[in-house]
Amino acid sequence: MPKNNIILPPKTIGIIGGGQLGRMMAIAARHMGYKIAVLDPTPNCPTAQVADEQIVAAYDDMQAIEKLTAISDVVTYEFENVDLHAAEYIEEQGKLPQGAFALEVTQNREKEKQLMNEAGLPVPAFSIVKSGEECRRVLQNTAYPAVIKTCRGGYDGKGQIKLASKNDEAAAIAFAEKNRHCIIEQWVPFDKEISVVFTRSLTGGLEFFPIAENTHKDHILYETAVPALISKQVEAKAIQAAAILAEKMQIVGTFAIEMFVKGEAIYLNEMAPRPHNSGHYTIEACNISQFGQHIRAICGLPLTPIKLLQPATMVNILGEDMEHALNRMPILKNASVHLYGKDEAKQKRKMGHVTFTSETKEEVSKLVSAYEEAK
């Protein structure tokens, strides 16, 4: 996409993937006056509910990809497992400013970790194994605890096993034998996990959202709080690491990197070439959301300088939390409830989120505690 190719409303933005991230992108774009086309195999998916047109087809259906590209002036995606052949085709048409490279890297944990290593960034020690026998050999020289993950796919704790001791060796070998291409990483006994969410423009400008602190339950992100309780030194290290990756990968759009903090040290974990669950707080807590900034970037508009308007905590609403969230809505004052329009509230399925805001972090914590205690 040429650097001077500015896409103005009411032109059409195509989105690959129709989940909640696509929905919130579409809402931000519609506020600005853009039209939306979405490609997703599920009819009336969350993004389709706020789009002008839906192409109901598989993500690797090249006829559907060609149609989406033809009717869109620019194309983006809401998840990283986009078919690479499709991404390369859209890039060749000059309509994928994010490019295919960021997808290629983030789809593959081996490539992701190698690129971080090449950039001289701190990552946990890791080894790549492609069979049960290779896994057995690597584990002979691995300090426990460790974790084995598939190199492709897997999210919210799926596609990985924590290895607490040598007793878990047989399970790891079986996992490697089944999945073949795996990564074994040293387990980092971290103090906290943070997310660095930023946006990079077509011309290389960078804007960082306030660093957020994450809490997980059952391997799924549960809460994200801002500002994160970290030192200025850790904040500077995290932003510098993200800036190095942004430049090395020539990122365009909103991008997220999860990092572990241990004392004053940071370790980069995983990255997402798109808006991220841990950036949802930006809708209420900042002067521009991660989604609005993303739309500005891919359309060639200048990025908005970011300000944190007030402390906030975002709490995910999973399937089992839906009834509670709805029951609390009539009495929640300092909270914004977002529901994603999914048809069925399944266990552990992300159905929405609620963001609590107030003048101080202490006040926000009290609001979150009251919400939790009422369950």
Side-chain angles (χ1 to χ4, degrees), residues 110-130:
E110 179 179 4
K111 290 181 178 180
E112 195 173 63
K113 284 292 191 293
Q114 283 179 341
L115 186 136
M116 291 174 179
N117 249 353
E118 288 166 14
L121 299 172
V123 295
F126 69 92
S127 299
I128 303 300
V129 298
K130 295 186 176 178

Side-chain angles (χ1 to χ4, degrees), residues 116 121-125 188-190 192-194 257-270:
M116 291 174 179
L121 299 172
V123 295
V188 176
F190 56 91
K192 59 186 66 183
E193 183 193 279
I194 58 173
I257 309 172
E258 294 173 339
M259 303 183 189
F260 298 130
V261 178
K262 176 66 175 171
E264 293 296 293
I266 61 165
Y267 297 89
L268 278 66
N269 183 25
E270 294 178 351

Side-chain angles (χ1 to χ4, degrees), residues 22 27 30 77 93 121-122 136 144 170 185 207 253-254 262 285 297 325 327 371-372:
I27 290 169
R30 278 173 105 42
Y77 45 81
Q93 307 310 304
L121 299 172
R136 187 188 64 76
Y144 292 94
E185 294 179 17
E207 284 290 338
T254 294
K262 176 66 175 171
N327 288 340
Y371 174 78
E372 292 298 328

Side-chain angles (χ1 to χ4, degrees), residues 33 43 98 106 141 153 160-161 213 248 265 281 329:
Q98 292 160 273
T106 55
N141 298 304
Q160 62 178 272
I161 304 174
E213 187 173 332
K248 187 173 179 67
Y281 76 86
M329 275 185 78

Side-chain angles (χ1 to χ4, degrees), residues 108-373:
N108 187 313
R109 288 190 173 98
E110 179 179 4
K111 290 181 178 180
E112 195 173 63
K113 284 292 191 293
Q114 283 179 341
L115 186 136
M116 291 174 179
N117 249 353
E118 288 166 14
L121 299 172
V123 295
F126 69 92
S127 299
I128 303 300
V129 298
K130 295 186 176 178
S131 69
E133 178 55 29
E134 282 186 20
C135 176
R136 187 188 64 76
R137 287 202 302 269
V138 165
L139 289 178
Q140 287 177 348
N141 298 304
T142 297
Y144 292 94
V147 61
I148 183 168
K149 304 175 183 177
T150 55
C151 278
R152 294 184 66 88
Y155 64 95
D156 289 344
K158 299 178 179 74
Q160 62 178 272
I161 304 174
K162 183 179 178 182
L163 311 176
S165 69
K166 199 154 182 69
N167 294 337
D168 296 317
E169 185 176 308
I173 292 169
F175 182 90
E177 194 61 39
K178 177 186 174 186
N179 294 290
R180 310 307 287 179
H181 191 193
C182 299
I183 183 169
I184 297 173
E185 294 179 17
Q186 193 67 52
W187 185 267
V188 176
F190 56 91
D191 300 324
K192 59 186 66 183
E193 183 193 279
I194 58 173
S195 285
V196 181
V197 179
F198 63 87
T199 311
R200 187 173 182 271
S201 70
L202 282 169
T203 53
L206 272 175
E207 284 290 338
F208 287 87
F209 289 96
I211 294 178
E213 187 173 332
N214 299 326
T215 304
H216 288 77
K217 280 187 181 178
D218 300 324
H219 302 289
I220 300 173
L221 181 66
Y222 183 66
E223 286 183 9
T224 296
V226 286
L229 294 174
I230 53 174
S231 69
K232 290 289 183 188
Q233 183 182 1
V234 166
E235 182 182 9
K237 284 180 181 178
I239 288 174
Q240 183 185 22
I244 289 168
L245 272 182
E247 188 62 32
K248 187 173 179 67
M249 296 176 70
Q250 291 292 289
I251 298 303
V252 172
T254 294
F255 194 95
I257 309 172
E258 294 173 339
M259 303 183 189
F260 298 130
V261 178
K262 176 66 175 171
E264 293 296 293
I266 61 165
Y267 297 89
L268 278 66
N269 183 25
E270 294 178 351
M271 43 192 183
R274 49 161 174 82
H276 192 260
N277 192 174
S278 62
H280 293 350
Y281 76 86
T282 60
I283 298 172
E284 281 80 29
C286 296
N287 59 321
I288 186 167
S289 74
Q290 62 168 343
F291 303 101
Q293 199 82 296
H294 180 72
I295 297 300
R296 294 185 69 83
I298 64 168
C299 291
L301 301 174
L303 301 181
T304 298
I306 294 165
K307 293 179 184 174
L308 179 66
L309 303 177
Q310 54 193 337
T313 294
M314 183 281 309
V315 181
N316 272 331
I317 300 171
L318 303 180
E320 58 268 34
D321 305 322
M322 270 291 282
E323 186 179 353
H324 174 66
L326 291 171
N327 288 340
R328 298 298 291 174
M329 275 185 78
I331 58 173
L332 289 175
K333 294 177 182 177
N334 292 43
S336 299
V337 177
H338 298 253
L339 297 178
Y340 303 148
K342 295 181 179 179
D343 57 357
E344 191 182 350
K346 297 177 183 174
Q347 190 89 355
K348 304 301 177 194
R349 188 184 196 192
K350 292 173 185 171
M351 302 300 295
H353 70 270
V354 54
T355 301
F356 297 88
T357 55
S358 196
E359 294 303 309
T360 66
K361 277 184 72 77
E362 290 74 24
E363 288 173 12
V364 173
S365 294
K366 287 177 185 175
L367 292 169
V368 174
S369 294
Y371 174 78
E372 292 298 328
E373 286 164 8

Side-chain angles (χ1 to χ4, degrees), residues 1-56:
M1 184 170 172
K3 299 287 188 194
N4 61 352
N5 190 0
I6 295 174
I7 308 295
L8 294 174
K11 289 188 174 178
T12 298
I13 298 172
I15 302 176
I16 301 173
Q20 62 265 24
L21 296 175
R23 180 188 180 94
M24 288 182 272
M25 278 184 206
I27 290 169
R30 278 173 105 42
H31 274 302
M32 297 168 71
Y34 290 100
K35 292 178 181 172
I36 301 293
V38 58
L39 168 61
D40 192 279
T42 305
N44 196 40
C45 59
T47 307
Q49 295 163 19
V50 294
D52 297 274
E53 182 173 351
Q54 179 182 5
I55 299 169
V56 180

